[in-house]
Amino acid sequence: MYQAMTTLGFASESKFDKDNYQLSGEAPKGSTVLILGAGLAGMTAAYELRKAGYNVKLLEYNQKAGGRCWTLRGGDSYTELGGAKQECKFDEGLYINPGPWRIPYHHHAVLHYCKQFNVKLEVFSQINHNAYVHSSKAFGGKPKRYREVNADFQGHIAELLAKCVNQKGLDDAMSKDDTERLLLVMRQWGSLNGDDKYVKSVEASLMRGYDVMPGGGLMPAEQYGEPMGGIELLNSDLWQHLQTGNLFEYQSTIFQPIGGMDMIAKGFEKEVGSLIRYSSKVTKIHQDDKGVTVSYVDSEKPGDTMTESADWCVCTIPLSILGQIPANFSGKLSSAIRAVPYDTSVKVGLQFKRRFWEEDEHIYGGISYTDLPIEMISYPSTDFHSGGKGVLLGGYLWDANSYEFTAMSPEMRVKKALEYGAQIHPQYKEEFDNGIAVAWHKVPWTNGCYGLWTPESREAHYKNLCEIDNRIVLAGEHASYIPAWMEGAILSSLDAVNRLHAHAQAAKKAEA
Amino acid sequence: MYQAMTTLGFASESKFDKDNYQLSGEAPKGSTVLILGAGLAGMTAAYELRKAGYNVKLLEYNQKAGGRCWTLRGGDSYTELGGAKQECKFDEGLYINPGPWRIPYHHHAVLHYCKQFNVKLEVFSQINHNAYVHSSKAFGGKPKRYREVNADFQGHIAELLAKCVNQKGLDDAMSKDDTERLLLVMRQWGSLNGDDKYVKSVEASLMRGYDVMPGGGLMPAEQYGEPMGGIELLNSDLWQHLQTGNLFEYQSTIFQPIGGMDMIAKGFEKEVGSLIRYSSKVTKIHQDDKGVTVSYVDSEKPGDTMTESADWCVCTIPLSILGQIPANFSGKLSSAIRAVPYDTSVKVGLQFKRRFWEEDEHIYGGISYTDLPIEMISYPSTDFHSGGKGVLLGGYLWDANSYEFTAMSPEMRVKKALEYGAQIHPQYKEEFDNGIAVAWHKVPWTNGCYGLWTPESREAHYKNLCEIDNRIVLAGEHASYIPAWMEGAILSSLDAVNRLHAHAQAAKKAEA
């Protein structure tokens, strides 16, 4: 089972072959599977198991499917743990994705199902050379354009390396031809001048832009800008943000579904929605050698306990929740479930009365980075020049910043995001319309953002977490090496159902 | 006039203010302007002059407006100089832009008119980390993924600079604190290991990707790839292509109009189309102190010579054509017109039966670069996973490559582009459907691609080219410091009509 999946598309760069996603052979006749959670892992399991002939049911806590694959639009309301309720007041067509918001080109499984379910994709602008990088501790707190930092970083690095070459510092490591070649490369790559210096020049402007841009006719002549000092830049930490777009996970092309991330959830739901019992809060999981029985109550109006039984169970409930549910898992699995804390994260969506970032600052999509607690501001990748209102991701917070914001009321999170953001975009004060803020540790159906593994916990518990435990197998991003990403959830689920299927077939054979 | 334009939006990064695009004050009563050429420069002039109250007419060689702002779609036909006629057989919705195909975020004038005329824009994928960089002379002619070259280049540069620091090679140039800081930066930026080496490692894989990617459940463990050798990479020239996306002109966000570049031409044409006389080939330009008289014939069915007269003339005819038209320009202007040769370029559009670059190779948009004569292959930035046919820009040739292809028949250009492209995408042979090729030196209405200035010719002739010559002013990309770009054409035109307007007002005053 593995072999087909790992040699074709999922786990390598080789040719994607959709035929290898399918479970091989049919389900043992009359076999039933109960799936807990109708997020992407649960719905992937449902879709593939049903195709193989299993009788499938899903229990889902929420009134809709998708789990963390979630989009907030005008008219939606959301109540977090603690009872604070927010109404989303965004204009028609505007949204934020509180959970996943980007799809890397190498997340083949996600892309496969997008294609399968006709979920339309568009380019997500990760890098924008005209967006800002900002440090409150450098350059007087003035935001710099990404392109200036990028150009100046390359220029200064090239100048330093050229200096080493010119001082014969690499003569023991490289041949004369190669050092000469390196010098030529640095001159071009770093826009160095004739003296191998990175300075205000036409060459530098070809990367960093202009103070006065070239024009037409008899407009005034172009003027070059003054590069930042190399040492100041080195010590500013601004250069760190240059690396984001080079990381495998954020490289271009990176996508978003047109209209919101939950278009993927809706795509799955169209296929397996009829199998889902919504508003079902699991209260107990019991398995024996014959099968699994799950107790649940209505999550909206908790009343009588109901039960659902099946031969097998795929459990995709986040470990942060699952650890709280009475269940007779093996000791190994129970230990594994307890070993994985959940990371924290906060996202703030802000609607403004006009798209000032486009109109005033020529920023179309992409992300500005800052050392302020909001960490970043992301601009919409579509509907440029639409003239109407616009929604920014006004903060995406982690670690201590996230904890601090989680402790606030939703209104205060929005207020704080506005205060910090105004240090980068002073227009915030005039143009703010409304906002919404999701703190993942207060999301009732996850109690956190994603499973936070360490090398030690992986070593001790990962295998135990993933292995079939009598009648139950776990799936979800927490049961993958791609934590937090939808790809991890789907791959985990495909691997789990392939193993469960083989196991069920073997069990049937043994029985006969 | 200038001041408003240069301080607001056009020629600087300051706030764009559309009010400053308008001509100040009204046209002298009853003034007429004849505009030659209904490309973007000509239509900008028509739009703005008419708004100021001038009586405007345009003469256009083609049967439609736009000039080089041109899109070829299924059903279009095109006859080049020499008589070779091509029918475009692309499927519905597919196209190539033989001329401009990208709009940088800092081309404020183009963006202004796109907004004004409701031309919808989308992100053009310039950089794709999963596209190829290819040299027939390096790495056995095997294409490399952009991300691998990018990661390995950074890694090797960082290793070399770290080596210099560790050998105290920069101690005279920097303080101890700063060299220590530089070392930390190189370690992170270059994904160096604990020995400050760039080698096969988890760190390197975070940038360059994996041989076997991380998976879900109990899928086999991830495997890291082996980086390229630093010296081999340095000598391969592949690294040069990394720089493209850093250049001001190609930085993200870079756009394309949804549906084809000529949506911009159509936007203008909707406004000023009623002023255009199409199929008009200018045969003579005569001016005196009273006005301008232009002779022309029907370009489709040359017959009787017709004339059109006006007080003033804005001439946007490419210099390559204008130099062949009898005209009583001043000696200075005539010299300037003769001083600017036109660059050559060839573009080849190839339709394939399926989007194999997406299906087989996970390349979604962006550009692969090669040292083969085709120079690049550009993949569509939209309609991912559409399942139908797809059109690639199968070659964009310059210099000697372009001359060679220009000399071929269109069919041979397509055939050659296929042969070269198959070295990068072997699927070409199976999947090819049809193609079209435009050699700009054979385009009847331009005889070339764009005005090729040198520092010397700028010095000697640029001012003379742009200055009002009695009753005539020239405009177009050739009369700008942004040659080849639509922005140059529009800014040139705005500058020209502002000067002409002031001149006309002053002339009227002097008369009175």
Side-chain angles (χ1 to χ4, degrees):
Chain A
M1 226 129 304
Y2 273 158
Q3 203 170 356
M5 295 176 61
T6 55
T7 56
L8 290 154
F10 280 150
S12 75
E13 282 296 295
S14 60
K15 185 173 173 299
F16 176 92
D17 184 340
K18 67 184 188 314
D19 299 335
N20 287 281
Y21 281 77
Q22 299 184 355
L23 304 190
S24 58
E26 288 196 5
K29 207 173 173 182
S31 296
T32 55
V33 183
L34 180 61
I35 298 169
L36 307 182
L40 296 197
M43 290 195 287
T44 298
Y47 181 77
E48 297 298 340
L49 287 169
R50 187 182 58 177
K51 261 206 311 199
Y54 289 89
N55 199 326
V56 174
K57 279 190 187 167
L58 295 99
L59 296 179
E60 165 56 39
Y61 173 89
N62 282 311
Q63 292 172 284
K64 62 177 185 338
R68 281 162 278 183
C69 177
W70 178 27
T71 301
L72 280 169
R73 300 181 180 82
D76 290 340
S77 70
Y78 162 61
T79 304
E80 65 182 30
L81 288 177
K85 184 175 178 181
Q86 299 177 78
E87 309 282 350
C88 183
K89 291 176 185 156
F90 294 163
D91 274 27
E92 177 80 27
L94 303 180
Y95 64 86
I96 63 156
N97 300 312
W101 52 314
R102 298 173 282 202
I103 308 170
Y105 62 83
H106 45 82
H107 281 189
H108 300 154
V110 176
L111 293 175
H112 163 72
Y113 286 107
C114 285
K115 186 171 183 180
Q116 181 97 340
F117 301 146
N118 202 24
V119 176
K120 298 291 180 200
L121 302 174
E122 61 194 358
V123 173
F124 175 91
S125 287
Q126 172 72 34
I127 294 303
N128 182 335
H129 283 78
N130 211 39
Y132 298 115
V133 282
H134 170 254
S135 168
S136 58
K137 300 180 204 67
F139 301 105
K142 193 180 174 303
K144 295 286 180 186
R145 299 282 186 174
Y146 178 98
R147 69 180 140 76
E148 294 168 347
V149 176
N150 186 59
D152 295 355
F153 181 77
Q154 267 188 218
H156 288 301
I157 294 300
E159 181 179 321
L160 287 172
L161 194 51
K163 191 183 177 75
C164 294
V165 172
N166 284 324
Q167 292 177 349
K168 317 287 178 202
L170 288 165
D171 282 7
D172 59 334
M174 299 169 85
S175 74
K176 190 162 178 297
D177 280 359
D178 290 337
T179 55
E180 273 170 18
R181 175 80 183 154
L182 178 60
L183 203 52
L184 288 174
V185 172
M186 286 301 102
R187 282 172 189 155
Q188 187 176 332
W189 179 73
S191 298
L192 304 184
N193 72 1
D195 299 324
D196 290 341
K197 299 279 183 204
Y198 179 71
V199 294
K200 179 174 173 172
S201 64
V202 59
E203 289 80 13
S205 282
L206 294 178
M207 283 208 290
R208 73 190 314 282
Y210 300 82
D211 276 3
V212 175
M213 285 199 269
L218 300 178
M219 288 176 170
E222 65 198 36
Q223 283 178 29
Y224 316 134
E226 190 68 54
M228 298 164 226
I231 302 295
E232 193 176 4
L233 180 55
L234 208 60
N235 285 292
S236 73
D237 280 344
L238 289 186
W239 63 270
Q240 291 192 333
H241 305 300
L242 303 176
Q243 191 61 339
T244 313
N246 289 323
L247 295 176
F248 194 47
E249 285 180 331
Y250 306 113
Q251 289 170 357
S252 62
T253 305
I254 185 162
F255 306 97
Q256 61 183 10
I258 295 176
M261 190 55 82
D262 71 354
M263 301 308 282
I264 297 179
K266 289 175 200 281
F268 274 99
E269 203 174 10
K270 217 177 281 175
E271 297 290 331
V272 301
S274 62
L275 311 176
I276 304 174
R277 193 197 183 284
Y278 295 94
S279 303
S280 302
K281 181 181 174 175
V282 171
T283 54
K284 190 180 167 189
I285 300 169
H286 181 83
Q287 60 175 338
D288 58 27
D289 289 346
K290 295 275 167 54
V292 181
T293 298
V294 171
S295 307
Y296 64 100
V297 296
D298 191 296
S299 60
E300 297 295 310
K301 299 176 191 162
D304 293 347
T305 294
M306 298 164 275
T307 61
E308 191 71 60
S309 296
D311 299 332
W312 308 97
C313 175
V314 179
C315 176
T316 72
I317 299 173
L319 304 182
S320 44
I321 304 282
L322 187 59
Q324 304 174 42
I325 299 172
N328 65 339
F329 299 134
S330 69
K332 276 180 178 180
L333 178 52
S334 298
S335 299
I337 291 168
R338 283 194 305 269
V340 185
Y342 267 49
D343 206 356
T344 177
S345 168
V346 171
K347 268 190 187 168
V348 183
L350 302 174
Q351 176 165 296
F352 293 93
K353 293 170 203 156
R354 65 182 184 93
R355 294 166 75 108
F356 59 82
W357 51 93
E358 297 178 0
E359 293 174 8
D360 304 350
E361 293 163 279
H362 307 290
I363 297 173
Y364 299 88
I367 298 173
S368 287
Y369 291 95
T370 173
D371 68 339
L372 296 172
I374 53 172
E375 303 196 25
M376 66 178 78
I377 295 171
S378 174
Y379 313 90
S381 294
T382 52
D383 295 328
F384 305 123
H385 285 165
S386 67
K389 297 181 180 182
V391 167
L392 299 183
L393 177 66
Y396 185 18
L397 295 78
W398 295 93
D399 304 322
N401 294 329
S402 174
Y403 283 117
E404 196 186 326
F405 267 57
T406 300
M408 299 173 190
S409 69
E411 294 71 28
M412 184 56 74
R413 289 173 210 147
V414 169
K415 186 168 175 285
K416 281 287 176 189
L418 282 171
E419 281 175 22
Y420 288 123
Q423 295 185 42
I424 294 165
H425 294 291
Q427 304 98 319
Y428 263 39
K429 289 166 191 172
E430 275 294 306
E431 308 294 351
F432 175 66
D433 200 13
N434 65 73
I436 195 161
V438 173
W440 276 95
H441 262 132
K442 292 196 172 175
V443 172
W445 63 92
T446 61
N447 287 11
C449 191
Y450 69 92
L452 202 57
W453 290 95
T454 61
E456 296 71 30
S457 62
R458 286 266 185 209
E459 179 66 29
H461 298 289
Y462 181 77
K463 190 159 170 284
N464 294 338
L465 188 86
C466 296
E467 277 186 341
I468 296 168
D469 187 62
N470 195 2
R471 297 262 150 188
I472 296 177
V473 66
L474 267 55
E477 57 77 22
H478 49 275
S480 84
Y481 278 90
I482 320 170
W485 291 94
M486 296 187 295
E487 181 79 357
I490 294 179
L491 285 184
S492 160
S493 182
L494 286 169
D495 179 69
V497 300
N498 268 278
R499 283 184 289 122
L500 189 69
H501 178 48
H503 188 72
Q505 285 173 321
K508 192 73 184 180
K509 226 172 201 169
E511 223 175 78
Chain B
M1 224 127 304
Y2 273 159
Q3 203 169 357
M5 296 176 58
T6 55
T7 57
L8 291 153
F10 280 150
S12 77
E13 282 296 293
S14 60
K15 184 172 173 298
F16 176 92
D17 185 341
K18 67 183 187 315
D19 298 337
N20 288 281
Y21 280 78
Q22 299 183 356
L23 304 190
S24 59
E26 288 196 3
K29 208 173 170 183
S31 295
T32 56
V33 183
L34 180 61
I35 298 170
L36 307 182
L40 296 198
M43 291 195 286
T44 299
Y47 181 77
E48 297 298 340
L49 287 169
R50 187 182 58 175
K51 262 207 308 199
Y54 288 88
N55 199 326
V56 174
K57 280 191 185 166
L58 295 100
L59 296 179
E60 165 56 39
Y61 173 87
N62 282 311
Q63 292 173 284
K64 63 178 180 351
R68 281 163 277 182
C69 177
W70 178 26
T71 300
L72 279 168
R73 300 180 180 82
D76 290 340
S77 70
Y78 162 60
T79 305
E80 64 181 32
L81 287 175
K85 185 174 178 180
Q86 299 177 77
E87 308 282 349
C88 184
K89 292 175 184 156
F90 293 163
D91 274 27
E92 177 81 28
L94 303 180
Y95 64 85
I96 63 156
N97 300 311
W101 52 313
R102 299 173 283 202
I103 308 170
Y105 62 83
H106 44 81
H107 282 188
H108 301 151
V110 176
L111 293 175
H112 163 72
Y113 285 107
C114 285
K115 187 171 183 180
Q116 181 96 341
F117 300 146
N118 204 24
V119 176
K120 298 289 182 204
L121 302 174
E122 60 194 0
V123 173
F124 175 91
S125 287
Q126 171 73 35
I127 294 301
N128 182 335
H129 283 77
N130 211 39
Y132 298 115
V133 283
H134 171 255
S135 167
S136 58
K137 301 179 204 68
F139 301 105
K142 192 179 174 305
K144 295 286 180 186
R145 299 280 187 175
Y146 178 97
R147 69 179 141 77
E148 295 169 345
V149 176
N150 185 59
D152 295 354
F153 181 77
Q154 269 189 216
H156 288 301
I157 293 299
E159 181 179 321
L160 287 172
L161 194 51
K163 191 184 179 73
C164 294
V165 172
N166 285 323
Q167 293 177 348
K168 316 288 179 200
L170 288 166
D171 282 8
D172 58 336
M174 299 169 87
S175 74
K176 189 160 179 299
D177 280 0
D178 290 337
T179 55
E180 274 171 16
R181 175 80 183 153
L182 177 61
L183 203 52
L184 289 174
V185 172
M186 285 301 101
R187 282 172 188 156
Q188 187 175 331
W189 179 73
S191 298
L192 304 184
N193 73 359
D195 299 324
D196 290 340
K197 299 278 183 207
Y198 179 72
V199 294
K200 179 174 172 173
S201 65
V202 59
E203 289 80 14
S205 282
L206 295 179
M207 283 208 291
R208 73 189 314 284
Y210 301 82
D211 276 3
V212 176
M213 286 198 269
L218 299 178
M219 287 175 170
E222 64 198 36
Q223 283 176 30
Y224 316 134
E226 190 67 55
M228 298 164 226
I231 302 296
E232 194 176 4
L233 180 54
L234 209 59
N235 285 294
S236 73
D237 280 345
L238 289 185
W239 62 270
Q240 291 192 334
H241 304 300
L242 304 176
Q243 192 60 340
T244 313
N246 289 323
L247 295 176
F248 194 47
E249 285 180 333
Y250 306 114
Q251 290 171 357
S252 62
T253 304
I254 186 163
F255 307 95
Q256 62 183 10
I258 295 175
M261 191 55 81
D262 70 356
M263 301 308 280
I264 297 180
K266 289 175 200 283
F268 273 100
E269 202 173 10
K270 217 177 279 175
E271 297 289 331
V272 301
S274 63
L275 310 177
I276 303 174
R277 192 196 185 285
Y278 296 95
S279 303
S280 302
K281 181 180 174 177
V282 171
T283 54
K284 189 180 169 191
I285 300 169
H286 182 83
Q287 61 176 338
D288 58 28
D289 288 347
K290 297 275 167 56
V292 181
T293 299
V294 171
S295 307
Y296 64 99
V297 295
D298 190 297
S299 61
E300 297 296 309
K301 298 177 192 161
D304 292 346
T305 295
M306 298 163 275
T307 60
E308 192 71 61
S309 296
D311 298 332
W312 308 98
C313 175
V314 179
C315 176
T316 72
I317 298 173
L319 304 182
S320 44
I321 303 282
L322 187 59
Q324 303 174 42
I325 298 172
N328 64 337
F329 299 134
S330 70
K332 277 180 176 182
L333 178 53
S334 297
S335 298
I337 291 168
R338 283 194 305 268
V340 184
Y342 268 49
D343 206 356
T344 177
S345 167
V346 171
K347 269 190 185 167
V348 184
L350 303 173
Q351 176 164 297
F352 292 93
K353 292 170 204 155
R354 64 183 184 94
R355 294 164 76 108
F356 59 81
W357 50 93
E358 297 178 2
E359 293 175 8
D360 303 349
E361 295 164 278
H362 307 290
I363 297 173
Y364 299 88
I367 298 173
S368 286
Y369 291 95
T370 173
D371 68 338
L372 296 172
I374 52 172
E375 302 195 25
M376 66 177 77
I377 295 171
S378 175
Y379 313 90
S381 294
T382 52
D383 296 326
F384 305 125
H385 286 165
S386 68
K389 297 182 180 181
V391 166
L392 298 183
L393 177 66
Y396 186 17
L397 296 78
W398 294 93
D399 304 325
N401 294 330
S402 174
Y403 284 117
E404 196 186 324
F405 267 57
T406 299
M408 300 173 188
S409 69
E411 294 70 29
M412 184 56 74
R413 289 173 210 148
V414 169
K415 186 168 176 286
K416 281 287 174 189
L418 281 171
E419 280 175 22
Y420 288 122
Q423 295 185 41
I424 295 166
H425 295 291
Q427 303 98 319
Y428 263 39
K429 289 169 191 171
E430 274 295 304
E431 307 295 350
F432 175 66
D433 201 12
N434 65 72
I436 196 161
V438 173
W440 277 95
H441 262 132
K442 291 196 173 175
V443 172
W445 63 91
T446 60
N447 287 10
C449 193
Y450 69 93
L452 202 57
W453 290 94
T454 61
E456 295 71 29
S457 63
R458 287 265 186 210
E459 179 65 29
H461 297 290
Y462 182 77
K463 190 157 169 287
N464 295 337
L465 189 86
C466 296
E467 277 186 340
I468 296 169
D469 188 63
N470 194 3
R471 297 263 149 187
I472 298 177
V473 66
L474 267 55
E477 58 76 23
H478 48 275
S480 84
Y481 277 90
I482 319 170
W485 292 93
M486 297 186 294
E487 181 78 357
I490 294 179
L491 285 185
S492 160
S493 182
L494 286 169
D495 179 69
V497 299
N498 268 277
R499 283 185 288 123
L500 189 68
H501 179 48
H503 188 71
Q505 286 174 319
K508 192 71 184 180
K509 227 175 201 169
E511 222 175 79

